[in-house]
Amino acid sequence: MIAENTQTQMRKGIIEYCVLLIISRGEIYASDIIAELKQAKLLVVEGTLYPLLTRLKNNGLLSYNWVESTSGPPRKYYVLTEDGKQILKQLDTTWEELAYAITTSQHGATKPTDAQN
């Protein structure tokens, strides 16, 4: 039970970052975002994604375009705004710092060699 709670919190902590990364590659439809997150083993349902997309849009990080569909109603395709791109850069830095912290915690800090001094 403790491990499951921690795993859930870890996933929740990175899902917003992953959504921004996916959208940063280009205009994308919400169901395609869900498919990519599922493929990455970050199981997400529409009830989780749509409120996140709305919050990101309301915070000025995303915008969307309506695109006509040949198989139904128009679809909403999401793109990053300039503010979204700037926030993503900040999150990239944070991720690099966290990845370093995890690697260092797993393997221990490397000590500088005499050649590096």
Side-chain angles (χ1 to χ4, degrees):
M1 182 76 158
I2 293 172
E4 288 176 11
N5 287 341
T6 301
Q7 290 167 330
T8 298
Q9 292 305 313
M10 290 170 77
R11 282 187 176 97
K12 284 182 182 179
I14 63 165
I15 197 160
E16 183 172 320
Y17 178 48
C18 289
V19 167
L20 291 171
L21 285 169
I22 290 167
I23 296 171
S24 74
R25 296 192 317 256
E27 196 172 67
I28 189 166
Y29 184 53
S31 65
D32 294 331
I33 296 170
I34 290 171
E36 286 202 36
L37 292 170
K38 285 183 179 178
Q39 183 178 359
K41 300 191 189 289
L42 283 173
L43 301 177
V44 175
V45 295
E46 289 180 12
T48 301
L49 182 64
Y50 284 107
L52 172 61
L53 291 172
T54 298
R55 184 169 48 79
L56 293 171
K57 182 198 168 294
N58 290 344
N59 288 335
L61 306 182
L62 301 180
S63 63
Y64 59 81
N65 300 307
W66 288 102
V67 177
E68 291 297 323
S69 171
T70 57
S71 61
R75 294 179 171 189
K76 193 185 288 188
Y77 282 80
Y78 293 89
V79 293
L80 289 186
T81 62
E82 287 304 314
D83 285 346
K85 291 174 185 176
Q86 291 302 314
I87 293 297
L88 183 56
K89 285 181 185 178
Q90 293 173 15
L91 293 176
D92 285 339
T93 299
T94 301
W95 177 254
E96 289 170 11
E97 291 167 354
L98 289 170
Y100 174 79
I102 290 169
T103 301
T104 301
S105 297
Q106 285 176 322
H107 305 289
T110 56
K111 296 179 182 166
T113 63
D114 289 333
Q116 292 174 329
N117 289 333

